[in-house]
């Protein structure tokens, strides 16, 4: 999968962009605040239905405009993606037809990003690591989305019983479905991570000269089934009003050089470890049977020393996926014969090479 053409209107500082893109490498250069990251953000939004640097869609609309519009022409099937966003929410179109559910965007355009806040994948709370894991599982395990939805429905019902002070028997009505879906989610996550780990270690060794240990914590005690954990924690759940065991509490524990990556390694190492996770995941998807992912790298030269930067470019370049890389200066970005170069300033993007 690659993005052949991109149209952007009234997104962030970008008034209108309409460009043909290189299937392998696209370099976007320009001064700070010029719109480089907004360009990547538009691509990310087309594959995720959300931004990687903002939580509110409304703030993405260019000042004075009612909505933004994003369109991409793809080289695969589906062939066209469109997203319109504004105060009324999002409207999605795929190959000219209205679509419901962001999973349709994700399936059509798998996109991952390495951006200045990538260290949060290592040093923040569990939700980012869980989202990282589940995005990968979603793309390689077709049954995962259905199990996730079944689990969320059952969890919502059980939590409603807890909030209302319901009896144990009322909550138990939802627990067969909760346990079945939760156990299936755990097994799919475990299988996916087992397949991903050799790639993570290979990339970590390339970037940091050492492998990283990744331990999946499933969200309930290892010596209990999910049913047993729900029974054992009923009193606490009923007191706090929600279910606090299950795959919604899952996490990845990362260790590097025999130390906790979250607490005891440098910020620079955290960035490279997080990049290793992302690059391994992109590489795994690229070799699968589904759409090939698109990789975004936002201003990596500002975050990494020269040695780390060259290592990052070497690993990313070997993946064989479409890449978009931003930077202040072309001399800091990788030199490949096959590429397109764009310059952006004050929200105006022009092709240079």
């Amino acid at each position: 999968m690659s993005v052949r053409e991109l149209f952007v209107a009234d997104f962030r500082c970008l008034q209108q962009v309409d460009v043909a893109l290189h299937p392998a490498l696209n370099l976007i250069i320009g001064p700070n605040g010029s719109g480089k990251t907004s360009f990547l953000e538009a691509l990310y939004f087309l594959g995720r239905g959300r931004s990687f640097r903002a939580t509110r869609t409304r703030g993405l609309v260019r000042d004075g405009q009612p909505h933004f519009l994003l369109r991409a022409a793809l080289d695969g099937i589906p062939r066209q993606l469109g997203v319109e966003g504004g105060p009324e929410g999002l409207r999605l179109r795929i190959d000219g037809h209205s679509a419901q559910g962001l999973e349709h965007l994700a399936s059509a355009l798998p996109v991952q990003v390495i951006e200045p806040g990538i260290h949060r994948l290592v040093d923040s709370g569990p939700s980012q690591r869980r989202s990282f894991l589940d995005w990968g599982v979603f793309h390689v395990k077709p049954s995962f989305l259905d199990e996730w939805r079944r689990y969320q429905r059952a969890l919502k019902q059980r939590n409603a019983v807890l909030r209302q002070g319901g009896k144990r028997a009322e909550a138990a009505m939802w627990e067969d479905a909760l346990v079945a879906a939760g156990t299936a989610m755990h097994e799919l996550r475990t299988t996916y991570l087992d397949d991903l780990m050799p790639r993570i270690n290979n990339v970590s060794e390339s970037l940091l000269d050492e492998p990283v240990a990744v331990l999946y914590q499933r969200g309930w005690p290892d010596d209990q089934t999910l049913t047993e954990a729900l029974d054992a924690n009923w009193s606490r759940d009923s007191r706090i009003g929600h279910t606090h065991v299950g795959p919604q509490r899952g996490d990845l524990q990362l260790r590097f050089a025999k130390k906790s990556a979250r607490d005891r390694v440098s910020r620079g190492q955290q960035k490279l470890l997080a990049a290793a996770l992302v690059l391994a995941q992109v590489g795994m998807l690229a070799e699968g049977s589904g759409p090939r992912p698109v990789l975004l790298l936002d201003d990596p030269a500002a975050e990494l020393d020269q040695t780390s930067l060259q290592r990052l470019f070497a690993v990313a370049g070997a993946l064989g996926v479409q890449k978009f890389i931003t930077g202040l200066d072309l001399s800091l970005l990788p030199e490949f014969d096959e590429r397109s170069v764009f310059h952006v300033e004050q929200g105006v993007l022009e092709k240079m090479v």
Side-chain angles (χ1 to χ4, degrees):
M1 175 65 65
S2 64
V3 181
R4 188 171 66 252
E5 297 174 4
L6 179 68
F7 176 84
V8 180
D10 298 323
F11 186 86
R12 292 283 195 183
C13 66
L14 302 175
Q15 180 176 355
Q16 184 167 309
V17 172
D18 191 359
V19 291
L21 300 167
H22 196 282
L25 177 62
N26 297 271
L27 305 179
I28 303 96
I29 62 171
N32 289 328
S34 60
K36 302 187 303 295
T37 300
S38 297
F39 184 84
L40 298 191
E41 197 176 7
L43 284 163
Y44 188 88
F45 206 102
L46 278 163
R48 298 286 190 110
R50 61 180 178 86
S51 165
F52 60 80
R53 59 173 179 158
T55 56
R56 296 182 59 191
T57 300
R58 187 170 183 176
L60 302 177
V61 181
R62 193 167 68 91
D63 290 345
Q65 301 303 312
H67 59 264
F68 67 75
L69 179 62
L70 309 173
R71 290 199 302 265
L74 310 179
D75 67 357
I77 297 174
R79 299 183 184 278
Q80 299 281 340
L81 294 182
V83 179
E84 183 178 350
E88 69 283 358
L90 296 180
R91 288 192 289 180
L92 316 180
R93 294 188 71 81
I94 298 179
D95 283 343
H97 302 288
S98 295
Q100 299 293 325
L102 298 180
E103 69 274 9
H104 297 296
L105 294 181
S107 295
L109 182 60
V111 58
Q112 266 290 18
V113 63
I114 296 174
E115 44 87 25
I118 189 69
H119 61 90
R120 291 191 294 267
L121 185 56
V122 175
D123 71 3
S124 69
S127 62
Q128 288 208 22
R129 290 183 291 277
R130 199 163 49 240
S131 294
F132 163 82
L133 177 63
D134 287 349
W135 184 84
V137 182
F138 165 80
H139 282 287
V140 301
K141 304 291 183 182
S143 63
F144 181 76
L145 180 60
D146 287 340
E147 298 294 354
W148 183 89
R149 284 173 168 166
R150 278 192 282 269
Y151 185 80
Q152 293 299 321
R153 284 195 294 268
L155 181 65
K156 181 179 179 180
Q157 295 294 339
R158 188 178 192 269
N159 284 343
V161 172
L162 291 167
R163 286 194 301 271
Q164 295 163 12
K167 303 296 183 181
R168 182 75 183 90
E170 295 176 76
M173 293 173 57
W174 304 103
E175 288 179 6
D176 284 347
L178 188 80
V179 168
T183 302
M185 285 176 61
H186 162 64
E187 292 172 351
L188 290 168
R189 284 173 171 176
T190 299
T191 302
Y192 170 77
L193 189 58
D194 286 345
D195 292 340
L196 185 64
M197 272 309 306
R199 299 172 185 271
I200 292 176
N201 282 326
N202 286 339
V203 178
S204 179
E205 289 178 340
S206 296
L207 297 183
L208 287 151
D209 297 320
E210 287 193 47
V212 57
V214 182
L215 174 65
Y216 169 55
Q217 299 172 323
R218 62 182 184 172
W220 68 95
D222 291 339
D223 61 350
Q224 294 179 335
T225 65
L226 184 50
T227 297
E228 291 169 343
L230 292 170
D231 286 338
N233 287 276
W234 168 256
S235 295
R236 180 181 177 186
D237 287 354
S238 60
R239 185 174 67 254
I240 63 179
H242 68 265
T243 305
H244 78 281
V245 294
Q248 81 281 4
R249 305 278 293 187
D251 194 7
L252 297 176
Q253 184 185 75
L254 309 176
R255 296 187 65 81
F256 178 74
K258 300 182 180 179
K259 296 183 290 188
S260 168
R262 182 176 182 182
D263 305 317
R264 300 180 61 192
V265 303
S266 71
R267 177 60 58 85
Q269 288 175 319
Q270 288 180 346
K271 289 179 181 290
L272 289 173
L273 284 172
L277 296 178
V278 170
L279 292 170
Q281 191 177 67
V282 169
M284 183 172 177
L285 294 185
E287 294 179 8
S289 58
R292 296 171 72 81
V294 171
L295 177 62
L296 314 177
L297 295 98
D298 189 21
D299 206 8
E303 299 294 320
L304 300 173
D305 61 67
Q306 192 61 30
T307 298
S308 297
L309 185 65
Q310 292 306 315
R311 289 182 175 192
L312 178 70
F313 287 157
V315 174
L319 292 177
V321 301
Q322 188 181 32
K323 292 170 286 293
F324 295 81
I325 308 176
T326 67
L328 292 173
D329 191 307
L330 190 60
S331 66
L332 299 175
L333 299 181
E335 295 184 7
F336 293 103
D337 293 335
E338 295 295 321
R339 67 181 188 178
S340 290
V341 180
F342 302 89
H343 180 264
V344 60
E345 191 160 359
Q346 296 183 344
V348 177
L349 185 114
E350 296 181 345
K351 187 174 182 179
M352 298 173 60
V353 181

